[in-house]
Tab-separated table of all heavy atoms in Angstrom:
chain	number	residue	atom	x	y	z
A	1	SER	N	0.840	-1.194	0.000
A	1	SER	CA	0.000	0.000	0.000
A	1	SER	C	0.873	1.240	0.000
A	1	SER	O	1.844	1.322	0.739
A	1	SER	CB	-0.898	0.021	1.240
A	1	SER	OG	-1.760	-1.080	1.217
A	2	MET	N	0.526	2.193	-0.878
A	2	MET	CA	1.248	3.461	-0.960
A	2	MET	C	0.237	4.573	-1.181
A	2	MET	O	-0.810	4.342	-1.789
A	2	MET	CB	2.211	3.462	-2.147
A	2	MET	CG	3.413	2.603	-2.002
A	2	MET	SD	4.517	2.827	-3.411
A	2	MET	CE	3.955	1.501	-4.453
A	3	PRO	N	0.588	5.768	-0.728
A	3	PRO	CA	-0.285	6.902	-1.036
A	3	PRO	C	-0.409	7.066	-2.557
A	3	PRO	O	0.538	6.806	-3.300
A	3	PRO	CB	0.439	8.103	-0.424
A	3	PRO	CG	1.405	7.533	0.552
A	3	PRO	CD	1.759	6.167	0.052
A	4	GLU	N	-1.571	7.487	-2.995
A	4	GLU	CA	-1.817	7.650	-4.430
A	4	GLU	C	-0.803	8.584	-5.077
A	4	GLU	O	-0.355	8.350	-6.197
A	4	GLU	CB	-3.236	8.173	-4.663
A	4	GLU	CG	-3.621	8.195	-6.112
A	4	GLU	CD	-5.081	8.554	-6.325
A	4	GLU	OE1	-5.893	8.373	-5.415
A	4	GLU	OE2	-5.384	9.035	-7.423
A	5	SER	N	-0.394	9.626	-4.363
A	5	SER	CA	0.578	10.568	-4.926
A	5	SER	C	1.919	9.891	-5.200
A	5	SER	O	2.596	10.208	-6.180
A	5	SER	CB	0.771	11.767	-3.997
A	5	SER	OG	1.276	11.346	-2.747
A	6	MET	N	2.300	8.934	-4.361
A	6	MET	CA	3.553	8.213	-4.569
A	6	MET	C	3.441	7.310	-5.797
A	6	MET	O	4.371	7.244	-6.617
A	6	MET	CB	3.912	7.381	-3.338
A	6	MET	CG	5.263	6.713	-3.426
A	6	MET	SD	5.651	5.720	-1.961
A	6	MET	CE	5.972	7.015	-0.780
A	7	VAL	N	2.318	6.635	-5.946
A	7	VAL	CA	2.100	5.782	-7.117
A	7	VAL	C	2.118	6.623	-8.383
A	7	VAL	O	2.735	6.243	-9.388
A	7	VAL	CB	0.770	5.005	-6.988
A	7	VAL	CG1	0.475	4.222	-8.266
A	7	VAL	CG2	0.802	4.066	-5.788
A	8	GLU	N	1.480	7.777	-8.357
A	8	GLU	CA	1.474	8.660	-9.524
A	8	GLU	C	2.887	9.106	-9.881
A	8	GLU	O	3.269	9.139	-11.051
A	8	GLU	CB	0.581	9.872	-9.271
A	8	GLU	CG	-0.890	9.531	-9.236
A	8	GLU	CD	-1.766	10.681	-8.766
A	8	GLU	OE1	-1.229	11.745	-8.386
A	8	GLU	OE2	-2.995	10.511	-8.776
A	9	ASN	N	3.687	9.433	-8.858
A	9	ASN	CA	5.069	9.847	-9.092
A	9	ASN	C	5.866	8.720	-9.719
A	9	ASN	O	6.617	8.936	-10.686
A	9	ASN	CB	5.705	10.302	-7.775
A	9	ASN	CG	7.093	10.833	-7.979
A	9	ASN	OD1	8.030	10.074	-8.207
A	9	ASN	ND2	7.235	12.133	-7.884
A	10	ILE	N	5.693	7.515	-9.210
A	10	ILE	CA	6.388	6.358	-9.779
A	10	ILE	C	5.960	6.172	-11.234
A	10	ILE	O	6.790	5.977	-12.120
A	10	ILE	CB	6.099	5.090	-8.951
A	10	ILE	CG1	6.816	5.184	-7.590
A	10	ILE	CG2	6.547	3.830	-9.691
A	10	ILE	CD1	6.392	4.112	-6.608
A	11	ASP	N	4.646	6.216	-11.477
A	11	ASP	CA	4.143	6.002	-12.837
A	11	ASP	C	4.648	7.055	-13.812
A	11	ASP	O	4.890	6.757	-14.976
A	11	ASP	CB	2.611	5.980	-12.838
A	11	ASP	CG	2.048	4.703	-12.246
A	11	ASP	OD1	2.817	3.738	-12.049
A	11	ASP	OD2	0.832	4.669	-11.972
A	12	GLU	N	4.834	8.269	-13.357
A	12	GLU	CA	5.318	9.334	-14.226
A	12	GLU	C	6.805	9.198	-14.533
A	12	GLU	O	7.277	9.713	-15.538
A	12	GLU	CB	5.069	10.696	-13.580
A	12	GLU	CG	3.607	11.072	-13.508
A	12	GLU	CD	3.354	12.316	-12.665
A	12	GLU	OE1	4.337	12.936	-12.197
A	12	GLU	OE2	2.184	12.656	-12.472
A	13	ASN	N	7.549	8.486	-13.678
A	13	ASN	CA	9.005	8.499	-13.807
A	13	ASN	C	9.691	7.163	-14.066
A	13	ASN	O	10.863	7.153	-14.426
A	13	ASN	CB	9.604	9.121	-12.535
A	13	ASN	CG	9.220	10.572	-12.404
A	13	ASN	OD1	9.623	11.394	-13.207
A	13	ASN	ND2	8.410	10.884	-11.409
A	14	TYR	N	9.018	6.029	-13.922
A	14	TYR	CA	9.742	4.757	-14.025
A	14	TYR	C	10.280	4.481	-15.421
A	14	TYR	O	11.382	3.957	-15.563
A	14	TYR	CB	8.941	3.570	-13.467
A	14	TYR	CG	7.805	3.058	-14.309
A	14	TYR	CD1	8.031	2.124	-15.314
A	14	TYR	CD2	6.499	3.471	-14.081
A	14	TYR	CE1	6.986	1.630	-16.074
A	14	TYR	CE2	5.455	2.980	-14.836
A	14	TYR	CZ	5.701	2.061	-15.827
A	14	TYR	OH	4.665	1.570	-16.569
A	15	VAL	N	9.569	4.857	-16.451
A	15	VAL	CA	10.065	4.636	-17.816
A	15	VAL	C	11.285	5.516	-18.079
A	15	VAL	O	12.291	5.057	-18.623
A	15	VAL	CB	8.956	4.885	-18.856
A	15	VAL	CG1	9.529	4.839	-20.276
A	15	VAL	CG2	7.833	3.869	-18.701
A	16	ALA	N	11.228	6.760	-17.649
A	16	ALA	CA	12.359	7.678	-17.831
A	16	ALA	C	13.595	7.181	-17.082
A	16	ALA	O	14.721	7.463	-17.496
A	16	ALA	CB	11.979	9.075	-17.345
A	17	ALA	N	13.381	6.427	-16.010
A	17	ALA	CA	14.505	5.888	-15.235
A	17	ALA	C	15.019	4.574	-15.819
A	17	ALA	O	15.940	3.972	-15.275
A	17	ALA	CB	14.079	5.688	-13.781
A	18	GLY	N	14.421	4.124	-16.924
A	18	GLY	CA	14.899	2.921	-17.596
A	18	GLY	C	14.216	1.638	-17.168
A	18	GLY	O	14.676	0.550	-17.507
A	19	TYR	N	13.130	1.733	-16.434
A	19	TYR	CA	12.412	0.544	-15.988
A	19	TYR	C	11.279	0.219	-16.946
A	19	TYR	O	10.706	1.102	-17.569
A	19	TYR	CB	11.853	0.754	-14.574
A	19	TYR	CG	12.933	0.790	-13.532
A	19	TYR	CD1	13.480	2.003	-13.123
A	19	TYR	CD2	13.432	-0.376	-12.987
A	19	TYR	CE1	14.495	2.047	-12.187
A	19	TYR	CE2	14.447	-0.338	-12.048
A	19	TYR	CZ	14.975	0.865	-11.649
A	19	TYR	OH	15.975	0.901	-10.733
A	20	HIS	N	10.963	-1.076	-17.034
A	20	HIS	CA	9.876	-1.516	-17.901
A	20	HIS	C	8.548	-1.580	-17.163
A	20	HIS	O	7.503	-1.662	-17.796
A	20	HIS	CB	10.196	-2.885	-18.504
A	20	HIS	CG	11.400	-2.852	-19.378
A	20	HIS	ND1	11.397	-2.265	-20.624
A	20	HIS	CD2	12.657	-3.301	-19.187
A	20	HIS	CE1	12.597	-2.368	-21.162
A	20	HIS	NE2	13.380	-2.985	-20.312
A	21	SER	N	8.619	-1.569	-15.833
A	21	SER	CA	7.378	-1.636	-15.062
A	21	SER	C	7.581	-1.007	-13.690
A	21	SER	O	8.704	-0.868	-13.207
A	21	SER	CB	6.919	-3.083	-14.881
A	21	SER	OG	7.792	-3.764	-13.995
A	22	ARG	N	6.493	-0.640	-13.085
A	22	ARG	CA	6.502	-0.113	-11.721
A	22	ARG	C	7.095	-1.157	-10.769
A	22	ARG	O	7.878	-0.829	-9.883
A	22	ARG	CB	5.067	0.213	-11.322
A	22	ARG	CG	4.921	0.754	-9.940
A	22	ARG	CD	3.485	0.775	-9.482
A	22	ARG	NE	2.596	1.494	-10.366
A	22	ARG	CZ	1.287	1.276	-10.424
A	22	ARG	NH1	0.717	0.381	-9.664
A	22	ARG	NH2	0.537	1.971	-11.243
A	23	SER	N	6.753	-2.417	-10.978
A	23	SER	CA	7.243	-3.492	-10.104
A	23	SER	C	8.766	-3.590	-10.121
A	23	SER	O	9.392	-3.813	-9.078
A	23	SER	CB	6.646	-4.838	-10.523
A	23	SER	OG	5.265	-4.841	-10.334
A	24	ASP	N	9.373	-3.441	-11.299
A	24	ASP	CA	10.836	-3.495	-11.394
A	24	ASP	C	11.481	-2.394	-10.558
A	24	ASP	O	12.458	-2.634	-9.842
A	24	ASP	CB	11.301	-3.352	-12.846
A	24	ASP	CG	10.962	-4.555	-13.702
A	24	ASP	OD1	10.666	-5.632	-13.138
A	24	ASP	OD2	10.998	-4.416	-14.943
A	25	LEU	N	10.955	-1.190	-10.655
A	25	LEU	CA	11.498	-0.071	-9.891
A	25	LEU	C	11.361	-0.320	-8.390
A	25	LEU	O	12.320	-0.153	-7.631
A	25	LEU	CB	10.788	1.226	-10.268
A	25	LEU	CG	11.324	2.472	-9.575
A	25	LEU	CD1	11.318	3.637	-10.538
A	25	LEU	CD2	10.481	2.806	-8.363
A	26	ILE	N	10.189	-0.761	-7.960
A	26	ILE	CA	9.950	-1.006	-6.535
A	26	ILE	C	10.841	-2.136	-6.032
A	26	ILE	O	11.426	-2.052	-4.952
A	26	ILE	CB	8.457	-1.294	-6.279
A	26	ILE	CG1	7.644	-0.017	-6.555
A	26	ILE	CG2	8.222	-1.796	-4.858
A	26	ILE	CD1	6.154	-0.217	-6.592
A	27	ARG	N	10.988	-3.203	-6.824
A	27	ARG	CA	11.844	-4.326	-6.438
A	27	ARG	C	13.288	-3.861	-6.249
A	27	ARG	O	13.946	-4.200	-5.265
A	27	ARG	CB	11.749	-5.412	-7.508
A	27	ARG	CG	12.161	-6.760	-7.066
A	27	ARG	CD	11.855	-7.893	-8.048
A	27	ARG	NE	11.440	-7.530	-9.384
A	27	ARG	CZ	10.161	-7.529	-9.819
A	27	ARG	NH1	9.199	-7.844	-9.006
A	27	ARG	NH2	9.883	-7.204	-11.065
A	28	ASP	N	13.801	-3.042	-7.196
A	28	ASP	CA	15.168	-2.522	-7.064
A	28	ASP	C	15.309	-1.621	-5.841
A	28	ASP	O	16.336	-1.662	-5.144
A	28	ASP	CB	15.583	-1.761	-8.318
A	28	ASP	CG	16.098	-2.667	-9.413
A	28	ASP	OD1	16.198	-3.894	-9.194
A	28	ASP	OD2	16.404	-2.140	-10.503
């Protein structure tokens, strides 16, 4: 569980950071 604002931030930035999915970023 995460605040919606945190999920939105992840969704806006994970591709730019070179990740293929939100899960990959969170796992790292």
Side-chain angles (χ1 to χ4, degrees):
S1 297
M2 288 185 266
E4 188 173 337
S5 62
M6 186 181 287
V7 174
E8 290 171 356
N9 184 286
I10 289 169
D11 286 348
E12 291 171 4
N13 295 294
Y14 75 86
V15 172
Y19 290 94
H20 297 287
S21 70
R22 180 193 305 157
S23 295
D24 290 343
L25 183 142
I26 293 169
R27 200 170 11 260
D28 277 357

